[in-house]
Amino acid sequence: MPSICVYLGSREGHDPRFREAAVTLGRAIAERGLTLVYGGARVGLMGALADAALAAGGEVIGVIPHHLVDRELAHDGLTKLVRVADMHERKASMAAHADAFVALPGGIGTLEELFEIWTWQYLGLHDKPIGVLDVAGFYRPLLEFLDQATECGFLDATTRARLAAASEPGPLLDRLMRPAGVAASPASS
């Protein structure tokens, strides 16, 4: 079964649209028969995402380092909870379990995970699709910065184009989970 790794906050943020998007994405992942891979917490957006996927009958794999089991409150109702030694092993395990990656709103950990997996793609360590769910314009300033970095010659256009973005879960999943070799429709480009 194809799987999608989601990076997102262990907090909910102040805008209720962030939680709504996590729930909608979790449900959509399960309804499409995809396995959800995420950071293993039961709190914040992470918990909302996992609970929605589970409630919709989906399979959910959580990956959490031992030192965060109590801090992030490890989810004990998952299909599988993988406990690892540290953050490096967490990210490697999540990447190994995933066929695609999505970032929802989150803090420095979410951004670090997004940029590391994108860098791994750039370096040729994987060729899996990556996207951001731009809920309520959360990622708009970052996407504009990346466009500026491209215009200034610090990021090549091909690499920039490989980071997909959408404001709704359905179109983003459609774009990321498209079979290899199938061209995007103009509306999803």
Side-chain angles (χ1 to χ4, degrees), residues 50-137:
D51 288 342
L54 290 166
E59 291 190 21
V60 180
I61 299 171
V63 182
I64 193 165
H66 297 296
H67 75 279
L68 290 181
V69 168
D70 293 328
R71 180 177 177 174
E72 289 188 353
L73 303 173
H75 200 304
D76 58 4
L78 304 177
T79 308
K80 181 178 181 181
L81 181 64
V82 179
R83 293 179 185 223
V84 295
D86 55 38
M87 293 299 287
H88 297 292
E89 190 176 339
R90 180 193 216 181
K91 291 182 289 184
S93 179
M94 290 169 73
H97 282 95
D99 296 305
F101 304 89
V102 169
L104 265 69
I108 59 174
T110 302
L111 291 172
E112 189 269 338
E113 290 167 326
L114 170 63
F115 277 96
E116 183 169 65
I117 204 67
W118 194 18
T119 301
W120 290 2
Q121 182 192 61
Y122 171 74
L123 295 173
L125 300 176
H126 73 83
D127 193 29
K128 301 172 186 179
I130 305 168
V132 296
L133 189 58
D134 188 24
V135 180

Side-chain angles (χ1 to χ4, degrees), residues 1-4 25-37 53 57-60 99-100 173-174 176-177:
M1 176 182 309
S3 59
I4 188 155
L25 180 62
R27 188 179 312 116
I29 288 170
E31 289 171 352
R32 289 170 183 243
L34 304 170
T35 296
L36 168 64
V37 178
E59 291 190 21
V60 180
D99 296 305
L173 288 175
D174 289 345
L176 296 179
M177 300 311 291

